[in-house]
Amino acid sequence: MGIFAPDELLAYLPRAYRDWRTPQAIGTLEPGEAVIVATIVRVRERPGRFPLVSADLDDGTGTISAKWFGRRHLFGKLAAGERVFIAGRVARGPRGLDINVTSHRVLRDGEQYSGEVVPIYGATKELTSRQIRTTIAKNLAALIDRRVDALPEAVVRRHGFPPFAQAWHDVHAPADPAAVEAGRRRIVFEEFFGIALAAALKRARREAAGGATPIAPPPELWATFCAQLPFAPTAAQERAIADIWADMTRSAPMNRLLQGDVGSGKTLVAAAAIVLAHTGGLQSALMAPTEILAAQHAAKLAPLLLPFGITVEAVFGSLGARDRRAANDRIRSGAAGLAVGTHALLTESVEFVRLGLVIIDEQHRFGVAQRARLRGKALAPHTLYMTATPIPRTLAQTRYADLDLSIIDELPPGRTPIETYVLRASRKPHAYEFVRKNVELGRQAYIVAPAIDASEPALTGALHEAERIRRDVLPQLRVDVLHGKLAAREKEAVMQRFNRGETDVLVATTVVEVGVDVPNASVMVILDAQRYGLAQLHQLRGRVGRGVERSFCILIAPDDAGAIERLEILAASTDGFAIAEEDLRLRREGEFAGTAQAGAGTGTIGNIVADFELYMQAKAEADRIVAHDPELVAPEHRLLPVLVDGIAAARALLVTS
Ligand code: ADP
Ligand code: MG
């Protein structure tokens, strides 16, 4: 189950608890889970292929028939007159109530039943909750003993946490359910604290190391910058630029994540950073995951930078050797103020004279080593990460805890929000008719399918659907197909045709998610929309609504109330962050509802959405400690590195750049 070490076993918390403390009176039982203590009146045993032991029970308030299915080993073990404890599921049988026994124990003569709270662990077919429970119960003291109690006493006192050993004991073997919550709070706090501590340490190290070139913006720079723009920056763009410029005036290198939905205007913010770097005599580099994206960046940035005399150099893998050499020369000589490119930027032949600002677009699509390599082309460059993937604020706190965050939470004015509708699959013809009408009005449309070929009957394949549309549904329209298996040149050609308006309808897989920008496309139909996460659907629909026209997104899903309800969240909101947060919440709930517990082995125990308050408390403590004792040399902080080391998410923060 991904559990390899004693510590991981201890950290494998129960996903639920059964309260077996108070037996119910048989006379009051209703169908459902129940616990009873009663006397056996009669036992029957049925041998054969499907052995069954049943016992009539009486507790003075009523009678019930207990049934043990398939447990041959119980033959001869139960006898009339014995008192038993039984937990199981009550159902109405043909002759009154039955209880299907999941757990039982014969009580000793005169034993007073005292009951217990039983932990239920996420289990598999091969490894049952009961096996995990007994293993942990048998070894609990030793497991706790091995673990280092590193949380400073002052922190424990301030938050009123139970003592270390008690907390761990109470989550696995609680005397009552209230003890579980107190113990869990301490454990989750400790984990969050470790993550926050790692982030604070990393930040402190970066601050202490310094080494970046500080550039103070000249007083008139903002006015000059704005004067060159064809529009006024939004308030959100202005805030982000202010954050970035403030970072760049310091010798501690900037380490900032700029988040903004598709179309929110990140390019302008990046341009402002590049302009400031340039006034400080520094070059910039911008790396994007694909050539399409890099080319778009170059095309959008060039006019914004031109008034400042900054020339843009593109570095692509597809460049011929001669062009490549020329580009490298201009970067090496400093003639190029900005180099834009793909991974090709990482090659050794690309050398800067004075690289001071590194911008990485969609940073999650690059590996740690790649990001480090680009930054390695300068001593301590200011670094700006950009992403259009909205990361819920809560999640960003842990995953990107060492980055400063700027969020563009406002679209430029004059944009008409996308109207989103959810349609049941039976109404797909209406959606296609809507596409036809819009094409008649001069618009273009995307139809997104979840697969290239229909490998499962329940899935719509792009190829087949395109053929069907072309032949039967919209024969009068020009239909094209785009999918991941096309060669790069073919993809490019399909995109160019759509770009130039030579195709009306583009049937595509999710490859349209990135790097497609056709303002005349105003309708998107997403087939089998239930297959996607909400955040991904939001990204997809960002392909429309890029022009001034009203634009529409139609989500097609089977007639399933749950799926429809989830998709309605998208119809109701255009805020990528709110959607991502909701998506995260739904997914976490889904994971907990299933049998496998989320977080075994590598994940976190705490749920950053549900436990966010606790995270913020842990972060405040971690920040305070690092501010006063950045080397963790005080005696009460001596064990903190052990705590950090024991948490995968915290370790990861310290090694990644
Ligand atoms: P992103 O990269 O965040 O998806 P872009 O930077 O490409 O968004 O901007 C999207 C579009 O909005 C571009 O056409 C850009 O010119 C325009 N734009 C950006 N900022 C503004 C603004 N403040 N006012 C009006 N239009 C803007
Ligand atoms: Mg962009």
Side-chain angles (χ1 to χ4, degrees):
M1 296 188 69
I3 298 170
F4 298 98
D7 245 19
E8 290 167 359
L9 182 59
L10 185 64
Y12 192 65
L13 302 193
R15 63 173 171 77
Y17 299 85
R18 295 273 141 76
D19 189 350
W20 286 354
R21 288 173 307 160
T22 327
Q24 287 157 264
I26 292 175
T28 66
L29 287 180
E30 299 276 339
E33 298 290 331
V35 174
I36 54 178
V37 170
T39 306
I40 300 178
V41 180
R42 194 161 76 115
V43 179
R44 267 160 304 178
E45 292 168 357
R46 185 187 75 191
R49 233 157 60 81
F50 304 103
L52 170 68
V53 176
S54 49
D56 294 340
L57 307 176
D58 191 332
D59 71 348
T61 71
T63 59
I64 191 167
S65 171
K67 297 196 179 320
W68 287 262
F69 290 95
R71 291 193 235 159
R72 205 182 302 275
H73 62 274
L74 279 180
F75 284 1
K77 293 279 167 57
L78 298 170
E82 284 179 329
R83 280 175 68 241
V84 284
F85 152 81
I86 280 176
R89 198 168 175 78
V90 175
R92 229 175 275 291
R95 280 176 300 278
L97 290 181
D98 285 344
I99 182 163
N100 188 346
V101 181
T102 50
S103 192
H104 81 279
R105 189 164 65 80
V106 177
L107 302 181
R108 287 181 304 277
D109 255 357
E111 177 183 345
Q112 194 61 37
Y113 176 75
S114 60
E116 58 180 328
V117 178
V118 179
I120 307 296
Y121 294 89
T124 64
K125 261 214 190 80
E126 293 77 29
L127 192 58
T128 63
S129 169
R130 181 195 285 260
Q131 284 171 299
I132 299 172
R133 179 165 79 227
T134 38
T135 306
I136 292 181
K138 251 194 246 160
N139 298 287
L140 189 54
L143 288 172
I144 295 172
D145 246 14
R146 285 182 50 100
R147 200 182 162 97
V148 179
D149 176 8
L151 203 59
E153 191 44 43
V155 175
V156 174
R157 231 175 312 112
R158 249 196 304 280
H159 296 269
F161 290 135
F164 173 79
Q166 191 194 327
W168 283 105
H169 178 272
D170 286 353
V171 291
H172 288 291
D176 66 86
V180 172
E181 194 40 39
R184 185 182 172 279
R185 270 181 71 77
R186 168 167 179 150
I187 290 163
V188 170
F189 180 95
E190 216 170 287
E191 177 183 55
F192 285 161
F193 176 76
I195 294 172
L197 193 64
L201 287 171
K202 192 169 167 186
R203 191 185 290 265
R205 275 180 219 162
R206 198 170 54 232
E207 296 277 325
T213 311
I215 318 151
E220 75 296 342
L221 188 62
W222 177 244
T224 319
F225 181 71
C226 290
Q228 307 296 341
L229 297 174
F231 37 67
T234 62
Q237 284 170 321
E238 200 173 330
R239 271 196 306 275
I241 294 171
D243 289 344
I244 291 167
W245 282 10
D247 285 351
M248 290 172 69
T249 61
R250 309 179 59 232
S251 59
M254 166 167 77
N255 201 38
R256 185 170 287 278
L257 176 63
L258 174 65
Q259 294 192 74
D261 238 333
V262 168
S264 62
K266 293 182 293 295
T267 312
L268 189 160
V269 176
I274 296 164
V275 166
L276 180 61
H278 182 74
T279 43
L282 298 175
Q283 286 173 297
S284 302
L286 189 161
M287 182 163 72
T290 66
E291 277 201 16
I292 297 185
L293 279 178
Q296 264 175 25
H297 278 302
K300 284 183 184 172
L301 282 166
L304 294 171
L305 300 177
L306 187 68
F308 298 90
I310 306 171
T311 45
V312 179
E313 203 59 58
V315 181
F316 295 153
S318 64
L319 236 47
R322 256 193 43 205
D323 291 340
R324 186 80 176 260
R325 223 172 308 119
N328 286 349
D329 285 344
R330 283 190 291 268
I331 295 169
R332 194 177 304 114
S333 72
L338 169 69
V340 177
T342 53
H343 305 82
L345 275 177
L346 300 175
T347 48
E348 259 167 53
S349 57
V350 180
E351 293 169 289
F352 294 82
V353 253
R354 29 169 223 274
L355 178 61
L357 171 67
V358 166
I359 303 175
I360 299 179
D361 191 25
E362 298 301 346
Q363 101 289 358
H364 58 277
R365 311 214 6 219
F366 292 102
V368 174
Q370 290 174 320
R371 294 181 327 224
R373 219 154 108 206
L374 182 57
R375 295 173 43 198
K377 289 180 182 285
L379 265 179
H382 294 293
T383 306
L384 179 67
Y385 300 98
M386 297 200 295
T387 183
T389 311
I391 301 148
R393 283 163 235 262
T394 46
L395 193 60
Q397 280 290 344
T398 47
R399 191 175 302 164
Y400 302 117
D402 65 316
L403 294 181
D404 295 309
L405 276 186
S406 291
I407 297 177
I408 310 183
D409 52 4
E410 171 187 9
L411 290 182
R415 213 69 66 78
T416 4
I418 304 164
E419 295 170 41
T420 300
Y421 301 94
V422 184
L423 285 193
R424 279 147 221 273
S426 58
R427 301 192 57 200
K428 190 159 96 176
H430 296 269
Y432 286 171
E433 176 55 21
F434 185 74
V435 166
R436 196 188 59 75
K437 282 212 187 97
N438 274 270
V439 171
E440 233 168 47
L441 294 171
R443 307 278 104 77
Q444 289 163 281
Y446 299 101
I447 295 174
V448 180
I452 301 176
D453 292 302
S455 46
E456 296 170 45
L459 270 187
T460 313
L463 289 175
H464 178 258
E465 190 68 4
E467 204 38 53
R468 205 178 66 85
I469 293 171
R470 207 177 267 147
R471 211 172 359 175
D472 307 331
V473 189
L474 304 168
Q476 62 280 55
L477 303 189
R478 297 166 298 176
V479 179
D480 219 336
V481 196
L482 182 72
H483 59 77
K485 282 208 186 125
L486 289 178
R489 285 246 312 268
E490 281 175 283
K491 253 190 253 175
E492 192 66 39
V494 171
M495 276 322 303
Q496 289 299 348
R497 284 200 293 276
F498 193 63
N499 235 327
R500 289 195 296 260
E502 293 165 14
T503 342
D504 302 312
V505 176
L506 186 60
V507 181
T509 56
T510 52
V511 292
V512 287
E513 201 175 336
V514 265
V516 176
D517 187 1
V518 179
N520 190 47
S522 63
V523 181
M524 175 173 281
V525 179
I526 303 180
L527 305 171
D528 301 322
Q530 79 285 356
R531 315 268 318 182
Y532 305 89
L534 293 181
Q536 195 186 3
L537 287 170
H538 178 68
Q539 291 280 103
L540 270 171
R541 78 173 162 184
R543 300 299 111 211
V544 293
R546 302 179 77 83
V548 287
E549 302 299 333
R550 270 177 83 184
S551 54
F552 306 89
C553 175
I554 302 173
L555 306 170
I556 310 262
D559 196 350
D560 158 350
I564 301 276
E565 191 187 337
R566 195 173 69 96
L567 294 172
E568 290 289 352
I569 294 170
L570 276 177
S573 174
T574 52
D575 177 347
F577 290 97
I579 290 165
E581 192 106 11
E582 191 62 22
D583 202 24
L584 181 68
R585 199 179 60 75
L586 286 175
R587 257 185 298 154
R588 285 304 288 231
E589 282 176 4
E591 282 165 13
F592 283 124
T595 44
Q597 169 170 325
T602 53
T604 51
I605 301 172
N607 174 338
I608 188 62
V609 179
D611 300 319
F612 192 60
E613 201 49 45
L614 205 52
Y615 179 82
M616 292 315 283
Q617 291 173 23
K619 178 170 156 48
E621 293 287 359
D623 287 346
R624 174 157 39 187
I625 287 174
V626 173
H628 290 109
D629 182 16
E631 304 291 329
L632 304 181
V633 288
E636 68 272 27
H637 299 155
R638 220 171 16 90
L639 288 174
L640 289 179
V642 182
L643 191 151
V644 170
D645 199 52
I647 299 165
R651 268 197 318 271
L653 267 177
L654 280 182
V655 298
T656 57
S657 79

